[in-house]
Amino acid sequence: MPKKKKGAKKSKRGPRIDPARMAELKKKRKFRKYYYRGVEVEKLLDLPHGELLKLVTSRARRRFRRGLKEKPKGFIQRLRKAKKACAGTIKKPKIIKTHLRSMIIVPEMVAAQIGVYNGKGYILVEVNPDMIGHYLGEYAITYKPVGHGRPGVGS
């Protein structure tokens, strides 16, 4: 029987790649681009108000044309403040709690953390680009779904 070689051991971490090659691979890596009705999300932030209104549904368009009241305006101000506080860091913005379930998600809210009230407590909603144009309330369920199990006593 041939003897085993002592010098050749397999690495548990896989093949080692030098740092220069790793940096090159990271630059090459492409992330999924998010689109809302054919427009990139990054470009949505730069669109003027009128152009953004043309992209959303008629219900949302009507809502924004009639103007935002004090509470939604205050909510957006708090979101801006929280996003500005963590702008240069990797951290996520502070959670903003709200009862405004009827607030329509706009591109400015993307990457924010919002605590949406469901009648009992606050449900954490992390806004991503797919949620634009929907209501905050759609992501915070107000009831506990029924788990149909075994029948109880007296049935």
Side-chain angles (χ1 to χ4, degrees):
M1 271 174 62
K3 291 184 179 179
K4 292 182 183 177
K5 293 180 182 177
K6 290 183 180 179
K9 283 190 176 180
K10 284 191 175 179
S11 174
K12 289 183 180 178
R13 295 184 203 157
R16 291 190 180 164
I17 301 172
D18 63 325
R21 174 89 173 124
M22 186 65 84
E24 184 184 320
L25 286 172
K26 281 187 178 181
K27 282 182 186 176
K28 234 187 226 184
R29 187 170 48 176
K30 298 224 178 197
F31 292 103
R32 180 178 170 217
K33 290 190 176 187
Y34 287 97
Y35 291 91
Y36 178 72
R37 306 222 174 175
V39 181
E40 278 187 52
V41 173
E42 287 79 29
K43 292 180 182 175
L44 283 176
L45 293 169
D46 301 331
L47 278 180
H49 188 69
E51 293 295 316
L52 180 63
L53 286 182
K54 289 179 183 175
L55 295 175
V56 296
T57 59
S58 60
R59 167 57 35 197
R61 198 175 314 126
R62 175 181 164 84
R63 178 98 181 270
F64 287 122
R65 279 213 179 115
R66 294 174 66 89
L68 289 176
K69 306 294 184 245
E70 284 301 311
K71 289 195 177 191
K73 276 185 186 175
F75 173 66
I76 289 178
Q77 292 297 329
R78 288 187 293 151
L79 273 176
R80 285 182 187 150
K81 188 177 176 184
K83 283 182 105 176
K84 191 184 285 185
C86 70
T89 62
I90 303 170
K91 295 179 183 176
K92 291 184 178 180
K94 191 177 83 175
I95 297 170
I96 307 296
K97 291 181 178 179
T98 184
H99 282 234
L100 299 172
R101 297 176 56 82
S102 61
M103 183 73 192
I104 297 168
I105 296 172
V106 292
E108 193 175 2
M109 293 182 190
V110 172
Q113 291 189 316
I114 304 170
V116 183
Y117 193 68
N118 69 349
K120 185 177 182 182
Y122 292 92
I123 306 292
L124 179 64
V125 175
E126 291 186 35
V127 181
N128 60 39
D130 298 330
M131 297 179 177
I132 295 173
H134 292 268
Y135 292 95
L136 282 175
E138 292 180 42
Y139 301 100
I141 194 164
T142 56
Y143 60 91
K144 185 177 176 185
V146 178
H148 293 284
R150 294 178 46 211
V153 178
S155 58

